[in-house]
């Protein structure tokens, strides 16, 4: 009999999911709990497995298309004889959304394909079926080199990205990249944004961080500048609560948040994401350092979990040594502000009427002018500047 598998709500009130990659095709025989498809929600990309064994009759949406929650995602023949042997496909051929070329001849799919999101993305771009790739990583995990080796062995040219006759390269606009674009456009559409910039003398911060990192070496944690920026931001938000808020347009109210959940804009193999340090106001500098390191590692390896995403009340973006001099960061809607911290570099400065070399950095604050005025933005940045220029106070325990 035909079983219609409908897309479940796999997020908090999600309305639809984007089909990132089909892991099966029409005619494939499935075992129960076998991964079928990768779906992107607002928070993360997840694998969905089949709750029943059987043969795939139809994949109802193509890669890159969006499936509303509750709509039929895939139709499976669950008749007893359908799940024993592959056999022929249904009498009336149905369209399949998968690309025709594959790296290897189809083989029975194991229960789990071990591969990071970055490797899965590479496999999609090279049109390599991970089910036919032998993993050489720990525990049989498929690495990027395994995918490239499989492609070379197959002697196929990857269709995406694909060069045109003029030498241009076409890359599918979907997945995380399209989700980022939609989010940025919504911000530009909904928010009256302006940016305020200021210079910070970080000389004492550089010295303190160097000493603190040496002291913390026994705790097996790397102390970057981000924990200091987070602490300074939280202290400023307590004094300027308007910047830790959002606009409830239906109710006609500005909601000032009682929690301080700081999002950290991070580049990941899947694209830009914003993992969140929750209850940042209740964490010591050491605890902030550990959480920053955990999230940074997860972002680098493509292992950011859905529980690490969403729910931020204020966002900080930093490119570290690549941070440049200034920027106009785009607000992480529905928040009302975002802080960009730029690189620290030696520059000439005037101190006590003398020109000296100091460690200088800039900060850029973008705010929603509907709720935050220029004076509020200037006061907020002044609080952060004062904290970073006298960083010893930031070591005090959370209040």
């Amino acid at each position: 009999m035909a079983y219609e598998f409908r897309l479940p709500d796999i997020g908090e009130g999600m309305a639809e999911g984007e089909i990132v990659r089909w892991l099966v095709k029409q005619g494939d025989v499935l075992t129960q709990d076998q991964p079928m498809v990768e779906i992107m929600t607002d928070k993360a990309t997840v694998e969905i497995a089949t709750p029943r064994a059987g043969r795939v009759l139809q994949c109802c949406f193509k890669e890159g298309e969006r499936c509303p929650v509750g709509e039929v995602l895939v139709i499976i023949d669950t008749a007893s004889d359908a799940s024993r042997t592959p056999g022929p496909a249904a009498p009336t051929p149905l369209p399949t959304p998968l690309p025709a070329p594959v790296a290897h001849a189809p083989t029975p799919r194991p229960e789990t394909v071990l591969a990071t999101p970055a490797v899965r993305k590479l496999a999609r771009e090279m049109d390599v079926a991970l089910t036919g790739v032998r993993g050489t990583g720990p525990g049989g995990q498929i690495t990027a080199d395994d995918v490239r080796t499989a492609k070379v062995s197959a002697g196929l040219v990857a269709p995406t990205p694909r060069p045109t006759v003029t030498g241009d390269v076409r890359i599918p606009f979907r997945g995380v990249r399209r989700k980022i674009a939609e989010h940025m456009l919504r911000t530009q559409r909904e928010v009256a944004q302006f940016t305020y910039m200021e210079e910070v003398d970080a000389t004492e911060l550089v010295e303190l961080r160097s000493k603190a990192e040496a002291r913390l070496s026994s705790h097996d944690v790397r102390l970057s500048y981000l924990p200091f920026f987070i602490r300074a931001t939280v202290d400023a938000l307590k004094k300027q609560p308007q910047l830790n808020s959002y606009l409830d347009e239906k109710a006609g109210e500005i909601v000032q948040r009682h929690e301080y959940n700081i999002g950290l804009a991070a580049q990941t193999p899947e694209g830009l994401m914003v993992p969140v340090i929750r209850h940042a106001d209740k964490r010591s500098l050491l605890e902030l350092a550990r959480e920053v390191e955990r999230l940074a590692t997860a972002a680098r390896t493509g292992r950011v979990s859905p529980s690490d995403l969403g729910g931020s009340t204020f966002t900080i973006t930093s490119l570290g040594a690549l941070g440049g001099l200034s920027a106009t960061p785009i607000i992480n809607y529905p928040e009302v502000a975002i802080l960009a911290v730029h690189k620290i570099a030696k520059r000439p400065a005037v101190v006590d009427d003398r020109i000296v070399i100091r460690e200088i950095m800039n900060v850029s604050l973008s705010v929603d002018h509907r709720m935050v005025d220029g004076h509020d933005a200037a006061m907020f940045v002044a609080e952060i500047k004062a904290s970073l220029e006298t960083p010893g106070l930031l070591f005090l325990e959370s209040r």
Side-chain angles (χ1 to χ4, degrees):
M1 59 179 295
Y3 166 65
E4 296 182 341
F5 179 84
R6 298 176 183 274
L7 180 63
D9 183 351
I10 51 179
E12 296 180 358
M14 64 172 275
E16 62 182 12
E18 180 180 331
I19 311 301
V20 176
R21 176 176 169 83
W22 280 104
L23 306 176
V24 298
K25 62 181 182 298
Q26 178 190 336
D28 281 359
V29 173
L30 308 178
T31 58
Q32 186 169 338
D33 297 325
Q34 176 179 330
M36 294 188 300
V37 63
E38 292 178 0
I39 298 286
M40 170 168 288
T41 70
D42 288 337
K43 291 187 176 182
T45 300
V46 297
E47 276 189 357
I48 293 183
T50 174
R52 303 185 186 183
R55 184 185 300 121
V56 178
L57 294 181
Q58 183 179 4
C59 299
C60 300
F61 290 82
K62 296 180 181 179
E63 292 180 356
E65 290 184 340
R66 302 178 188 189
C67 176
V69 170
E71 289 292 317
V72 177
L73 183 63
V74 62
I75 302 174
I76 302 170
D77 182 1
T78 59
S80 58
D81 60 339
S83 58
R84 290 178 187 154
T85 57
T92 303
L94 294 170
T96 173
L98 290 180
V102 292
H104 293 282
T107 56
R109 181 181 175 84
E111 287 297 317
T112 303
V113 172
L114 297 178
T116 65
V119 171
R120 292 180 185 275
K121 179 181 179 183
L122 177 63
R124 291 196 297 272
E125 292 173 347
M126 300 189 73
D127 203 27
V128 171
L130 290 178
T131 53
V133 178
R134 177 178 174 272
T136 62
Q141 178 171 307
I142 297 173
T143 67
D145 286 340
D146 295 333
V147 173
R148 296 187 185 99
T149 299
K151 189 65 179 180
V152 171
S153 300
L156 298 173
V157 178
T160 55
R162 58 183 178 87
T164 67
V165 293
T166 65
D168 295 340
V169 174
R170 291 181 174 270
I171 301 173
F173 186 54
R174 63 191 187 207
V176 173
R177 185 74 265 161
R178 186 162 75 177
K179 191 66 69 176
I180 293 171
E182 291 171 351
H183 193 66
M184 295 298 101
L185 281 174
R186 183 178 184 184
T187 297
Q188 296 285 35
R189 190 169 57 245
E190 301 283 346
V191 173
Q193 176 173 308
F194 78 90
T195 303
Y196 178 87
M197 304 176 188
E198 178 60 286
E199 185 179 80
V200 175
D201 186 338
T203 305
E204 290 187 26
L205 175 61
V206 171
E207 295 174 356
L208 180 60
R209 180 250 180 183
S210 178
K211 294 177 182 177
E213 189 174 36
R215 291 283 298 273
L216 294 176
S217 59
S218 60
H219 292 271
D220 193 29
V221 61
R222 177 179 175 274
L223 181 63
S224 67
Y225 289 106
L226 263 178
F228 294 94
F229 299 150
I230 294 169
R231 174 57 63 79
T233 296
V234 169
D235 288 350
L237 287 173
K238 290 180 178 179
K239 296 176 181 178
Q240 299 290 330
Q242 194 79 340
L243 280 86
N244 197 51
S245 64
Y246 70 91
L247 177 61
D248 185 341
E249 296 193 61
K250 290 184 179 179
E253 296 173 337
I254 297 173
V255 182
Q256 293 183 349
R257 301 296 304 276
H258 70 282
E259 293 182 344
Y260 299 89
N261 300 328
I262 306 301
L264 304 176
Q267 190 66 36
T268 75
E270 295 295 310
L272 184 66
M273 292 186 181
V274 185
V276 180
I277 295 184
R278 305 190 188 283
H279 308 293
D281 58 315
K282 302 184 186 306
R283 298 176 186 260
S284 67
L285 205 68
L286 177 58
E287 291 169 338
L288 288 174
R290 284 179 172 147
E291 188 67 355
V292 165
E293 190 170 21
R294 181 184 73 81
L295 292 175
T297 300
R300 277 196 310 272
T301 59
R303 295 181 180 273
V304 178
S305 70
S307 62
D308 290 327
L309 302 172
S312 57
T313 63
F314 186 96
T315 296
I316 297 175
T317 178
S318 170
L319 287 177
L322 296 175
L325 294 176
S326 64
T328 55
I330 298 178
I331 294 169
N332 185 20
Y333 185 87
E335 298 166 22
V336 302
I338 181 172
L339 179 73
V341 289
H342 304 288
K343 66 180 180 182
I344 299 174
K346 293 183 184 298
R347 300 182 209 161
V350 177
V351 178
D352 296 330
D353 293 330
R354 292 186 299 114
I355 298 177
V356 295
I357 301 300
R358 305 287 287 181
E359 299 281 1
I360 303 296
M361 65 176 289
N362 292 345
V363 296
S364 304
L365 177 75
S366 291
V367 299
D368 188 343
H369 212 339
R370 297 177 302 167
M371 289 161 284
V372 181
D373 294 328
H375 178 267
D376 300 323
M379 290 295 293
F380 180 81
V381 172
E383 293 287 350
I384 290 179
K385 175 181 171 73
S387 293
L388 295 179
E389 291 185 342
T390 55
L393 298 177
L394 296 176
F395 263 108
L396 295 176
E397 289 298 315
S398 301
R399 294 173 292 284

